[in-house]
Amino acid sequence: MANSPHGGELKDLIARDAPRHAELVAEAQTLPAIVLTERQLCDLELILNGGFSPLEGFLDEADYNGVVNDLRLADGNLFSIPVCLDVSQSRINEKGIKPGARFTLQDFRDDRNLAIITIKDVYKPDKKKEAEHVFGGDPEHPAVQYLNETTQDFYIGGKVDAVNRLNHYDYVALRYTPSELRTHFEKLGWSRVVAFQTRNPMHRAHRELTVRAARIRQANVLIHPVVGLTKPGDIDHFTRVRVYEALLPRYPNGMAVLGLLPLAMRMGGPREAIWHAIIRKNHGATHFIVGRDHAGPGKNSSGKDFYGPYDAQYAVEKYRDELGIEVVEFQQMTYLPDHEEYRPKDEVPTGTRTLDISGTELRKRLRTGQDIPDWFSYPEVVKVLRESHPPRHRQGFTVFLTGLQNSGKDSIARALQVTLNQQGGRSVSLLLGETVRASLSSELGFSREDRHKNIQRIAFVASELTRAGAAVIAAPIAPFSASRDQARRTVEKYGSFFLVHVATSLEYAERTDTRGVYARARRGEIRGFTGVDDPYEAPGSEADLVVDIEKTSVRNIVHQIVLLLETAGLLGST
């Protein structure tokens, strides 16, 4: 029999409200709508299916304060992460959001009505306290950054009525709700289930760890990866699920089940580990593996860990009896080549030869095409990873040239395009400033805000092309450092970004201007002209290369850029 839900009752709102489905569908169409963000969608899905039991909606102020201050809901139940519906003041004013009102909660992807919330209260949270109490307060923590930069100023509290399930089009057969997973365990005759949380690909060590944990406890294994929102820079869930599917046949027959969890992680370390245990308990697990630095985001820019390596294990162990789920401490596994087996590191005699490959080393081998040995991972898993993460010479990249009008950046961009096309191996796209202005940003002016929008549009297009494996050459003026920095962050989600400052002087650019645009700007016929009556913030150390067409030929500059790309391993076949 599966573990009892947290709070004693599985709050499956989809099942609860099924008899009223037609009535709720009709009502939802008459109500004003709140369109949910991606994180809010993840949260709502786990509210509706009971994954967040005993929650029946988004936290009201009393529950929120209890969770932030004491890890407890107002009714005394343990709950460690605030699950809140944030809205802006303008949205409150526009929609008339107030206690007692009912609003439809809508999916931003397809405008589908998912639930109706009856608003209990609208309150302004103490974000500083939330950041400190829940996440530790470090401003570089991704959850704190999200709280300060993305989360709106007000929270809405209230219970919800379920209207429709969220639509998913990927891995539908693996998306078990808590009720479905409990039924599946019962059908299989499983009474002891070890849940394994992951947001990374799994290799032989993970298989050995989970098999060992299950055998010691005479249990079965639930591989329960997060496929909602994880840490920025993580491997996409499509690749990871293909890895898990490839790995599953390597388990002893009938030992393991794969189920996907649509959770929006906060990377909250100890607090999140408790939350994860509650969620797995609601899904029927009796045991939960808590890893070293579980759900931690790693280190900040100073190299300091956000959390201690065992803080999460201590936190879950502290509430073990109340959680009603047995903690299985993550044992670091290492390979013993002389014995051809994995063992926990603390069981390896001193002096024994061991082998390990770190995550950094694995990424390097994938990037360079180096061998990944069978003792570390299975060939079918490596095949999936190589398909999704090609070596450097097959990856996309963006060369972003910035400089004044007539600095020579367009000539350099065109010559570089020809050179890369000659080399072959990937498609090459050219995004000249004037071309983008005419095709994508014709309605924009030249205010600081409009210039920023234009650069972000270029960055978006460049990032998509980079993700598809193309070489992108962008050559806008891009006068403001903040816009260039944002462009870099956008592109680097998917590939390399090289900022080339074409530092040709204003005097030279103006003197060689055969089109006469500088002269027109000087006469006041063109307003907001960069270098004349609008500033250009020259890149400093953020530039990967600085060139000057007054001092160096286009041919030589292109050669410098090619050398930069070759040094990064992006050109050539090895």
Side-chain angles (χ1 to χ4, degrees):
M1 184 176 179
N3 204 353
S4 61
H6 190 56
E9 179 186 356
L10 187 68
K11 301 293 186 178
D12 185 343
L13 307 189
I14 295 287
R16 183 199 68 185
D17 296 335
R20 303 169 53 215
H21 179 69
E23 171 193 336
L24 291 169
V25 167
E27 183 187 0
Q29 293 173 346
T30 69
L31 297 173
I34 296 173
V35 180
L36 302 183
T37 65
E38 191 169 6
R39 175 188 278 195
Q40 292 167 349
L41 278 178
C42 291
D43 288 348
L44 179 64
E45 183 166 11
L46 287 167
I47 291 171
L48 294 180
N49 69 23
F52 284 166
S53 294
L55 300 191
E56 296 181 74
F58 291 96
L59 299 189
D60 60 30
E61 188 169 17
D63 282 332
Y64 168 78
N65 287 331
V67 169
V68 169
N69 294 323
D70 303 311
L71 290 82
R72 296 199 180 276
L73 300 168
D75 65 7
N77 270 303
L78 181 70
F79 209 85
S80 54
I81 296 288
V83 177
C84 303
L85 179 58
D86 60 299
V87 291
S88 64
Q89 180 70 69
S90 60
R91 181 62 61 87
I92 291 171
N93 297 339
E94 174 194 345
K95 298 281 188 179
I97 297 173
K98 59 185 179 181
R102 282 169 69 82
F103 279 80
T104 297
L105 301 181
Q106 203 169 73
D107 192 330
F108 79 92
R109 303 169 303 171
D110 55 12
D111 297 331
R112 195 160 181 254
N113 296 331
L114 301 175
I116 297 172
I117 184 170
T118 302
I119 298 175
K120 181 178 180 181
D121 53 16
V122 181
Y123 57 100
K124 190 166 187 174
D126 184 338
K127 288 187 179 181
K128 187 173 185 296
K129 179 187 282 188
E130 182 178 339
E132 291 174 351
H133 282 48
V134 180
F135 303 112
D138 191 317
E140 293 185 22
H141 190 292
V144 175
Q145 289 180 333
Y146 187 94
L147 190 64
N148 292 331
E149 299 171 10
T150 305
T151 302
Q152 301 298 331
D153 290 335
F154 292 87
Y155 290 168
I156 296 172
K159 294 186 176 182
V160 300
D161 297 310
V163 177
N164 288 302
R165 292 174 181 261
L166 277 75
N167 276 333
H168 291 290
Y169 300 97
D170 60 326
Y171 307 114
V172 177
L174 299 175
R175 292 181 177 272
Y176 295 98
T177 68
S179 295
E180 291 167 346
L181 204 48
R182 287 167 169 274
T183 299
H184 192 56
F185 293 159
E186 186 176 350
K187 180 180 178 181
L188 295 172
W190 292 8
S191 59
R192 298 167 67 82
V193 179
V194 177
F196 181 64
Q197 141 90 25
T198 183
R199 58 181 177 83
N200 295 308
M202 292 175 64
H203 302 287
R204 292 184 73 115
H206 302 99
R207 185 263 187 197
E208 296 300 322
L209 163 72
T210 50
V211 168
R212 173 182 283 258
R215 283 178 171 161
I216 290 173
R217 291 156 184 85
Q218 296 184 316
N220 292 89
V221 176
L222 168 62
I223 302 171
H224 211 208
V226 172
V227 296
L229 299 178
T230 60
K231 181 182 174 183
D234 280 353
I235 291 176
D236 65 276
H237 80 268
F238 301 102
T239 299
R240 289 190 290 110
V241 175
R242 290 197 293 273
V243 164
Y244 308 140
E245 289 180 316
L247 182 71
L248 203 60
R250 294 286 187 167
Y251 279 84
N253 188 38
M255 175 177 278
V257 161
L258 171 62
L260 309 184
L261 182 69
L263 177 69
M265 290 184 67
R266 273 62 162 179
M267 307 306 299
R271 286 255 195 160
E272 182 134 351
I274 294 169
W275 196 38
H276 288 178
I278 291 170
I279 293 167
R280 274 34 184 246
K281 180 184 179 185
N282 286 331
H283 282 79
T286 55
H287 299 70
F288 179 51
I289 296 174
V290 179
R292 187 180 184 276
D293 193 25
H294 185 99
K299 303 177 184 292
N300 64 17
S301 60
S302 301
K304 180 182 178 182
D305 290 315
F306 288 102
Y307 305 110
Y310 304 107
D311 287 356
Q313 293 179 356
Y314 299 150
V316 178
E317 187 62 34
K318 177 180 177 181
Y319 295 101
R320 172 180 175 174
D321 293 339
E322 192 170 353
L323 284 168
I325 190 169
E326 184 177 327
V327 178
V328 179
E329 293 184 0
F330 190 110
Q331 298 172 294
Q332 292 290 109
M333 305 293 286
T334 189
Y335 185 68
L336 280 59
D338 297 331
H339 299 269
E340 296 186 345
E341 67 176 5
Y342 275 89
R343 287 186 198 169
K345 284 189 174 181
D346 59 4
E347 296 180 12
V348 177
T350 302
T352 303
R353 191 163 67 101
T354 63
L355 294 174
D356 294 288
I357 292 180
S358 67
T360 301
E361 174 66 16
L362 174 62
R363 287 189 291 273
K364 177 186 174 185
R365 289 177 183 237
L366 288 170
R367 185 174 65 248
T368 59
Q370 287 180 269
D371 178 59
I372 297 172
D374 288 349
W375 63 260
F376 175 78
S377 194
Y378 297 104
E380 56 269 37
V381 168
V382 174
K383 180 175 181 290
V384 171
L385 292 174
R386 289 204 187 280
E387 288 170 350
S388 297
H389 297 81
R392 289 283 282 171
H393 68 275
R394 290 174 48 207
Q395 295 173 15
F397 60 84
T398 292
V399 176
F400 192 99
L401 297 111
T402 174
L404 297 170
Q405 172 74 26
N406 198 43
S407 62
K409 59 183 174 57
D410 286 10
S411 298
I412 296 167
R414 290 191 177 96
L416 180 60
Q417 180 190 31
V418 171
T419 301
L420 294 179
N421 274 329
Q422 176 181 311
Q423 292 201 359
R426 55 166 68 83
S427 63
V428 184
S429 294
L430 182 63
L431 302 174
L432 296 177
E434 290 185 358
T435 305
V436 173
R437 278 279 180 180
S439 301
L440 291 180
S441 301
S442 58
E443 87 286 3
L444 296 181
F446 291 89
S447 65
R448 190 182 189 102
E449 181 182 358
D450 280 1
R451 287 180 186 272
H452 180 76
K453 286 181 181 178
N454 181 54
I455 297 306
Q456 299 325 304
R457 290 178 185 180
I458 292 172
F460 171 75
V461 173
S463 70
E464 291 297 308
L465 291 168
T466 297
R467 176 161 64 169
V472 183
I473 306 164
I477 292 174
F480 300 119
S481 59
S483 298
R484 297 190 298 260
D485 290 345
Q486 182 61 48
R488 181 188 289 274
R489 289 193 294 271
T490 299
V491 172
E492 285 185 341
K493 294 176 184 176
Y494 306 114
S496 297
F497 179 97
F498 301 93
L499 181 67
V500 178
H501 179 204
V502 184
T504 306
S505 68
L506 174 62
E507 186 277 329
Y508 182 85
E510 191 167 355
R511 174 162 49 85
T512 59
D513 175 24
T514 59
R515 295 166 58 188
V517 290
Y518 278 99
R520 292 175 59 200
R522 295 291 184 192
R523 292 194 299 267
E525 297 173 14
I526 304 175
R527 297 290 185 184
F529 194 90
T530 301
V532 177
D533 61 347
D534 219 40
Y536 178 81
E537 299 173 358
S541 59
E542 69 269 25
D544 298 287
L545 180 66
V546 179
V547 298
D548 185 343
I549 203 169
E550 184 177 5
K551 302 173 182 176
T552 312
S553 69
V554 169
R555 188 183 305 277
N556 183 264
I557 291 171
V558 168
H559 182 63
Q560 290 181 54
I561 296 172
V562 168
L563 288 177
L564 182 67
L565 298 173
E566 286 181 342
T567 301
L570 290 162
L571 301 181
S573 58
T574 59

